């Protein structure tokens, strides 16, 4: 992994590199096309580049590829969950989902996570390292190759805290949406954060047209601190402020993710509090029935109660959707599959 990863270079950097190596400018277009459009897995494949140029490139650069360790397909909804090995042997998960509006891939941004959210399996073994931009792209490229289908939406909602790997994630977002590459519309990209307020402000200044999703999960600081250690650092008021700035800077409404945990954050009072927070920002609310993990005793809110919660929000004019639970039968929740494989056999999911 000592060589620089060529896939992490943006078009301008690649162009400078190509010129430095004494090649014509149009070679940069060809190279970028091989890497990001044709998604080549070796320099040898790049047949319209000279042998000598390909050799020089492979001496100087690595072209990372992921090894697919396991794929699980849901018998219920066709969702595919992938476990990939990175070049250093670390494992990451990604998910492919089919929706009416197109195919969506959920990628991991880190190996493990250090945010410590109580209900989340990804954080149980802590953080190993952040992913490079190339490794984030690789998840999408590998899934496109495997399914043979176009990916139109990307959500950075897998394992890891994207804003804890800020520079790599921002570079990844540029590469993903770059017109010379895969060119995914920024509006079809969502980045989900547990709420690093300063980083949200910084992201606002990048002026992407992506959707920012804030994992809120509670409407009082006291309750939030019980579920998410990051709430010790940033208050809900600070987060609302940062989301306000995101909205002002980008014109994009934020989404609040709210995992409903039975008996913890699912009362009428919680719904009223949530409506109050969402109202001024025009935030959309995504309700997620918590996916119970073996290591914790959290239980799901009953279906009736989820609907009542949604109803209460909608009555106050707040737009709230209940996330379809895709892939429940395949360790769908964050970090469950990776953990099961590392631990050898046992699922982190409660249901089996
Ligand atoms: N670190 C980022 C992105 C990864 S988690 C974040 O916190 O937003 C993606 C979403 O799944 C978050 O809203 C997270 O709180 C939620 N989540 C994690 N484990 C869950 C579980 N077991 N049940 C329901 N939601 C879960």
């Amino acid at each position: 992994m000592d060589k620089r990863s060529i896939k992490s270079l943006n078009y301008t950097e690649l162009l400078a590199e190509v010129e430095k190596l004494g090649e014509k400018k149009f070679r940069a277009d060809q190279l970028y096309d091989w890497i990001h459009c044709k998604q080549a897995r070796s320099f040898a494949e790049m047949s319209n580049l000279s042998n000598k140029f390909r050799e020089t490139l492979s001496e100087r650069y690595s072209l990372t590829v992921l090894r697919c360790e396991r794929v699980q397909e849901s018998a219920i909804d066709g969702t595919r969950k992938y476990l990939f090995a990175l070049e250093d042997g670390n494992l990451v998960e990604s998910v492919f989902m089919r929706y009416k509006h197109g195919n969506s891939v959920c990628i991991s941004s880190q190996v493990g996570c250090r945010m410590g959210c109580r209900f989340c399996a990804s954080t149980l073994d802590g953080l190993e390292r952040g992913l490079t931009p190339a490794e984030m792209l690789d998840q999408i490229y590998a899934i496109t190759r495997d399914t043979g289908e176009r990916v139109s939406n990307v959500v950075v909602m897998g394992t890891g805290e994207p804003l804890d790997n800020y520079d790599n994630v921002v570079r990844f977002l540029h590469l993903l949406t770059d017109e010379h590459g895969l060119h995914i519309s920024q509006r079809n990209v969502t980045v989900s954060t547990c709420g690093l307020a300063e980083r949200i402000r910084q992201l606002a200044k990048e002026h992407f047209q992506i959707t920012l999703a804030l994992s809120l999960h509670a409407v009082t600081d006291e309750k939030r601190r019980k579920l998410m250690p990051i709430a010790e650092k940033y208050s809900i008021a600070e987060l609302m402020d940062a989301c306000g700035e995101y909205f002002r800077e980008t014109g994009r409404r934020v989404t609040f993710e709210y995992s409903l945990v039975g008996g913890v954050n699912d009362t009428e009072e919680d719904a009223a509090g949530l409506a109050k927070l969402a109202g001024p920002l025009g935030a959309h609310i995504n309700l997620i029935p918590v996916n119970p993990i073996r290591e914790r005793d959290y239980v799901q809110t009953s279906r009736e109660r989820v609907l009542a919660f949604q109803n209460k929000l909608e009555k106050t004019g707040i737009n709230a959707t209940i996330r379809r639970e895709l892939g429940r039968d395949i360790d769908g929740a964050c970090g469950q599959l990776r953990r099961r494989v590392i631990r050898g056999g046992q699922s982190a999911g409660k249901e089996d």
Side-chain angles (χ1 to χ4, degrees):
M1 286 280 277
D2 293 323
K3 287 187 228 171
R4 273 175 93 191
S5 164
I6 201 158
K7 212 174 279 174
S8 291
L9 297 185
N10 65 35
Y11 180 75
T12 317
E13 291 164 342
L14 197 70
L15 184 59
E17 206 52 34
V18 163
E19 288 184 326
K20 209 169 79 193
L21 294 174
E23 293 282 340
K24 296 234 167 62
K25 205 177 153 191
F26 77 94
R27 296 288 178 204
D29 292 274
Q30 290 178 324
L31 189 51
Y32 202 87
D33 185 63
W34 276 111
I35 299 169
H36 298 285
C37 300
K38 298 198 181 81
Q39 299 165 8
R41 289 165 63 87
S42 69
F43 290 112
E45 276 174 56
M46 304 181 178
S47 50
N48 57 1
L49 305 180
S50 72
N51 281 339
K52 188 170 157 286
F53 186 36
R54 281 186 264 171
E55 256 166 48
T56 313
L57 288 172
S58 59
E59 278 159 20
R60 289 172 171 249
Y61 290 100
S62 70
L63 187 65
T64 57
V65 285
L66 302 181
R67 203 174 61 240
C68 185
E69 289 286 309
R70 198 174 284 211
V71 193
Q72 298 190 357
E73 177 157 336
S74 166
I76 307 167
D77 51 49
T79 294
R80 288 169 77 79
K81 180 141 193 174
Y82 293 83
L83 187 70
F84 292 117
L86 308 172
E87 303 223 320
D88 65 358
N90 273 306
L91 299 174
V92 292
E93 297 179 1
S94 329
V95 188
F96 174 81
M97 293 159 285
R98 288 196 187 87
Y99 290 97
K100 276 189 227 98
H101 60 264
N103 296 323
S104 184
V105 167
C106 173
I107 65 151
S108 294
S109 57
Q110 297 184 309
V111 179
C113 183
R114 57 177 180 154
M115 295 296 131
C117 298
R118 304 278 303 156
F119 44 81
C120 179
S122 290
T123 201
L124 291 167
D125 297 316
L127 175 69
E128 186 65 35
R129 67 174 176 87
L131 297 188
T132 63
E135 289 168 332
M136 290 182 248
L137 290 171
D138 280 333
Q139 297 171 58
I140 300 156
Y141 296 177
I143 291 177
T144 305
R145 168 178 286 256
D146 180 63
T147 59
E149 293 183 39
R150 202 190 125 72
V151 170
S152 54
N153 294 64
V154 172
V155 295
V156 188
M157 261 188 208
T159 295
E161 168 48 48
L163 302 190
D164 188 37
N165 186 20
Y166 187 86
D167 292 341
N168 284 326
V169 166
V170 165
R171 181 173 274 268
F172 158 75
L173 293 171
H174 281 296
L175 289 164
L176 180 71
T177 59
D178 185 90
E179 58 178 351
H180 298 94
L182 204 53
H183 200 187
I184 291 199
S185 159
Q186 291 192 358
R187 290 170 176 265
N188 293 351
V189 178
T190 299
V191 171
S192 176
T193 175
C194 65
L196 308 185
E198 287 128 23
R199 294 297 196 187
I200 292 175
R201 290 180 191 283
Q202 195 179 348
L203 187 67
K205 296 275 195 279
E206 313 273 353
H207 295 118
F208 284 118
Q209 283 297 294
I210 61 170
T211 301
L212 178 73
L214 172 68
S215 298
L216 192 56
H217 307 325
V219 295
T220 65
D221 286 322
E222 198 194 340
K223 254 192 202 181
R224 197 163 188 267
R225 283 196 289 263
K226 287 199 182 126
L227 291 171
M228 308 172 72
I230 193 67
E232 304 281 351
K233 191 153 180 208
Y234 302 106
S235 67
I236 291 176
E238 278 174 282
L239 289 176
M240 294 305 114
D241 232 49
C243 287
E245 185 165 338
Y246 190 88
F247 183 34
R248 278 194 306 281
E249 289 287 337
T250 63
R252 300 285 292 159
R253 289 171 196 267
V254 298
T255 294
F256 291 162
E257 284 161 284
Y258 196 91
S259 293
L260 285 159
V261 189
V264 174
N265 62 3
D266 59 351
T267 64
E268 286 225 344
E269 221 182 333
D270 291 311
L274 189 52
K276 260 202 189 127
L277 292 174
L281 289 167
H284 173 94
I285 293 175
N286 209 325
L287 299 170
I288 317 167
V290 77
N291 194 339
I293 58 171
R294 186 186 290 276
E295 291 76 1
R296 307 270 185 260
D297 318 317
Y298 295 122
V299 292
Q300 285 200 337
T301 298
S302 70
R303 189 75 192 161
E304 301 83 75
R305 225 183 153 104
V306 173
L307 290 170
F309 198 95
Q310 181 193 30
N311 211 342
K312 172 110 187 160
L313 291 170
E314 299 220 304
K315 271 200 192 126
T316 51
I318 306 293
N319 184 340
T321 44
I322 302 170
R323 178 168 312 161
R324 265 171 70 207
E325 282 183 89
L326 295 176
R328 260 205 79 129
D329 54 334
I330 52 163
D331 293 305
C334 254
Q336 287 191 120
L337 175 60
R338 169 173 175 260
R339 196 169 155 78
R340 176 152 70 89
V341 170
I342 291 173
R343 305 258 142 167
Q346 269 196 338
S347 174
K350 260 204 170 147
E351 56 270 34
D352 52 338

